[in-house]
Amino acid sequence: MHEFKFKRNNLYCEELKVQDLAKKFGTPLYIYSYQTLLEHFIKLEQAFRSIHPLICYSVKANSNLAVLKALVKKGAGLDVVSGGELFRGLKAGCPPGRIVYASVGKTDYEIEEAIKSGILFFNVESSSELKNIQHIARRLKRRVNVALRINPDVEPKTHKYITTGKLTNKFGIDFKTAKRIILLARGFSHVKISGLHIHIGSQITAPEPFVAAIAKVTRFISRLRKEGIILEYLNIGGGLGIIYDKETPQTALKFAAKILPLLRKTGLKIIMEPGRFIVGNAGILVTKVLYVKNTPKKKFIIVDSGMNDLIRPALYEAYHNIVALSKINRTEKADVVGPICESGDFFAKDRTLPKVEEGSYLAVMGAGAYGFSMSSNYNSRRRAQEVMVIKDKVFVIRKRETYEDLTRNEVIPAFL
Ligand code: LLP
């Protein structure tokens, strides 16, 4: 469910007409619905309310400060994967005790900053990393908590680029090695293994992979308990899929019904790290039709947004629904493409679409997650503006970049 709906033939975001926003702010324009954002967070919170998990929103999905602040104010924690995301999280006012930090490649600087800021724990991905954290924590005279990221070796049935819980992926630690590391870490003076973490992939629409992974990890937790190793946290990661096209993902309630019994059995404090589920359908990318071009083989609708604004179709051949801002009954088959000099620069291929005219607008739906956050300046394009709609009000939450922004950090050496 989301707050982008057609009323009297026009697309609205909450109470505002999307076309008016496109005209006012220009395009490419990311528009977020505040209500939708919160609703998804609240849905998860309520589905799991019997165990009061800490819901650490995954910052990488959409890292705009206003998005972070809106969720943090509702009680969310944050899942960060870099010093930059930690910086954003703290800037948005997230209490450090609600921040968890994953990533296979944390640098010394990033580890140090995170320790100094007092995050809840690191999700550790290798024994070398654990030793490094111990070393840095000792130097800083701090004792830090960590969760070991387990790779449970399950098939999440999603795109291969966003599969993370198979042993052929770079993420996490297999059970046998994890056990060895837990025993080894007993001798560490400044690091305490206080939990386990899993994250098996993204855009997972069926419950089975989650159940399989959680069942494996809960069995491991029981085995550890029998040996006197007591943990405090289980972090079940993110990965809940959403509807882009014809997917039938589980609802928060159904997801909870499947996994709550397993989670309760552990007796541990539960953390989850949803990204897409919260923000995916809370955002759209609005773009203007520049030209309609017919070739002997195809029709191309050339728009003013490109793969630099939304790379998901180019990178994963991801499907995003595309709608005209005013309902048009006549349709035609076309490709929607951007202005970038690459054939991978498309939003839709051979899609039956409304017959749009040059100068009109299209909305790329479901662009709230991994949309702006994966955007770039490729082809020296300025990154898009972002606005947030709350009922009948709109707020700019990121200004459009200027040409000056593009070259701000570049230096022409004096010898040239
Ligand atoms: N936790 C960890 C450790 C993660 O690596 C991720 C996502 C999440 C949580 C949040 O996953 P979510 O709930 O959003 O599925 N760019 C890709 C998705 C990459 C996901 C990376 N990790 C896409 O556009 O589909």
Side-chain angles (χ1 to χ4, degrees):
M1 288 304 285
H2 55 74
E3 289 295 325
F4 294 95
K5 291 187 184 124
F6 278 94
K7 296 181 209 165
R8 297 176 301 278
N9 283 336
N10 288 301
L11 184 66
Y12 276 73
C13 175
E14 303 198 10
E15 292 165 31
L16 293 180
K17 201 168 161 184
V18 172
Q19 183 143 331
D20 293 344
L21 297 174
K23 283 188 178 147
K24 178 166 180 189
F25 297 107
T27 50
L29 180 68
Y30 273 98
I31 303 178
Y32 306 112
S33 152
Y34 176 75
Q35 301 245 97
T36 312
L37 184 70
L38 291 197
E39 256 170 40
H40 285 107
F41 175 73
I42 291 165
K43 263 186 201 163
L44 262 186
E45 197 177 45
Q46 290 190 344
F48 285 91
R49 67 174 177 267
S50 61
I51 58 165
H52 294 295
L54 175 61
I55 303 179
C56 290
Y57 164 69
S58 191
V59 172
K60 65 179 82 64
N62 186 319
S63 52
N64 187 290
L65 289 176
V67 170
L68 304 185
K69 179 93 195 187
L71 294 168
V72 164
K73 267 181 81 177
K74 286 282 159 198
L78 299 175
D79 150 48
V80 304
V81 290
S82 69
E85 286 192 353
L86 174 62
F87 173 79
R88 282 179 177 277
L90 295 172
K91 195 161 181 173
C94 186
R98 298 206 311 241
I99 297 180
V100 293
Y101 188 155
S103 157
V104 288
K106 306 172 187 81
T107 65
D108 290 2
Y109 178 72
E110 288 175 316
I111 293 170
E112 189 167 329
E113 288 300 298
I115 293 176
K116 283 189 194 152
S117 69
I119 61 165
L120 181 59
F121 58 70
F122 290 101
N123 292 315
V124 166
E125 310 239 10
S126 65
S127 62
S128 304
E129 184 195 332
L130 187 71
K131 286 179 197 146
N132 198 30
I133 294 176
Q134 150 71 12
H135 181 72
I136 296 170
R138 189 162 62 194
R139 175 160 52 75
L140 297 175
K141 299 193 177 58
R142 299 281 284 265
R143 189 166 160 82
V144 300
N145 283 316
V146 305
L148 281 193
R149 176 165 180 177
I150 300 289
N151 184 320
D153 198 26
V154 296
E155 173 55 63
K157 299 193 188 95
T158 185
H159 191 282
K160 63 178 188 291
Y161 287 3
I162 51 178
T163 293
T164 52
K166 296 277 300 164
L167 283 180
T168 44
N169 303 129
K170 67 180 172 181
F171 301 96
I173 303 164
D174 64 280
F175 285 108
K176 213 166 144 205
T177 310
K179 174 77 187 297
R180 198 169 47 72
I181 295 175
I182 289 170
L183 295 176
L184 176 83
R186 284 171 149 181
F188 284 5
S189 52
H190 289 71
V191 163
K192 181 175 176 223
I193 297 184
S194 53
L196 298 180
H197 171 229
I198 46 170
H199 171 75
I200 56 173
S202 197
Q203 184 54 14
I204 303 169
T205 50
E208 292 81 15
F210 291 110
V211 173
I214 294 171
K216 275 188 169 185
V217 85
T218 52
R219 282 200 293 275
F220 184 58
I221 290 167
S222 318
R223 287 203 299 277
L224 292 176
R225 188 174 292 137
K226 280 187 195 130
E227 295 179 34
I229 299 163
I230 309 293
L231 300 169
E232 193 179 350
Y233 296 101
L234 172 60
N235 178 346
I236 61 167
L240 270 179
I242 62 166
I243 302 174
Y244 286 103
D245 183 16
K246 295 188 183 72
E247 298 90 345
T248 48
Q250 61 228 308
T251 60
L253 277 173
K254 287 205 172 127
F255 178 56
K258 289 266 183 209
I259 66 168
L260 268 174
L262 287 168
L263 298 180
R264 277 206 198 92
K265 236 194 262 169
T266 66
L268 303 187
K269 289 183 198 150
I270 303 298
I271 295 184
M272 50 181 77
E273 303 172 330
R276 189 189 317 261
F277 182 85
I278 291 177
V279 77
N281 282 323
I284 62 171
L285 171 64
V286 181
T287 187
K288 191 174 189 169
V289 176
L290 296 176
Y291 306 105
V292 178
K293 173 173 169 176
N294 286 297
T295 74
K297 298 251 179 207
K298 274 193 164 200
K299 181 161 214 143
F300 292 99
I301 298 171
I302 302 167
V303 296
D304 69 352
S305 305
M307 63 193 279
N308 74 301
D309 298 301
L310 176 69
I311 202 172
R312 301 194 70 255
L315 199 56
Y316 319 113
E317 295 189 42
Y319 180 98
H320 284 265
N321 191 17
I322 297 178
V323 299
L325 299 191
S326 312
K327 269 215 169 126
I328 299 169
N329 290 328
R330 287 181 62 198
T331 59
E332 62 183 354
K333 208 175 223 187
D335 284 16
V336 179
V337 300
I340 287 179
C341 310
E342 302 233 10
S343 293
D345 181 28
F346 65 88
F347 292 124
K349 280 199 163 169
D350 296 318
R351 184 89 60 89
T352 303
L353 291 158
K355 197 167 177 333
V356 286
E357 278 169 15
E358 294 177 355
S360 67
Y361 297 97
L362 292 172
V364 183
M365 307 302 286
Y370 308 107
F372 188 92
S373 65
M374 292 180 83
S375 69
S376 75
N377 292 118
Y378 187 41
N379 275 206
S380 283
R381 288 168 51 79
R382 297 170 298 162
R383 278 181 301 169
Q385 180 152 1
E386 295 177 286
V387 298
M388 184 180 275
V389 172
I390 306 172
K391 295 187 180 154
D392 62 350
K393 298 212 163 39
V394 59
F395 298 88
V396 173
I397 60 169
R398 185 186 173 102
K399 293 187 238 166
R400 191 176 302 286
E401 281 178 340
T402 63
Y403 289 134
E404 277 304 317
D405 289 332
L406 292 180
T407 54
R408 192 168 305 286
N409 293 323
E410 290 171 40
V411 180
I412 299 178
F415 75 89
L416 287 175

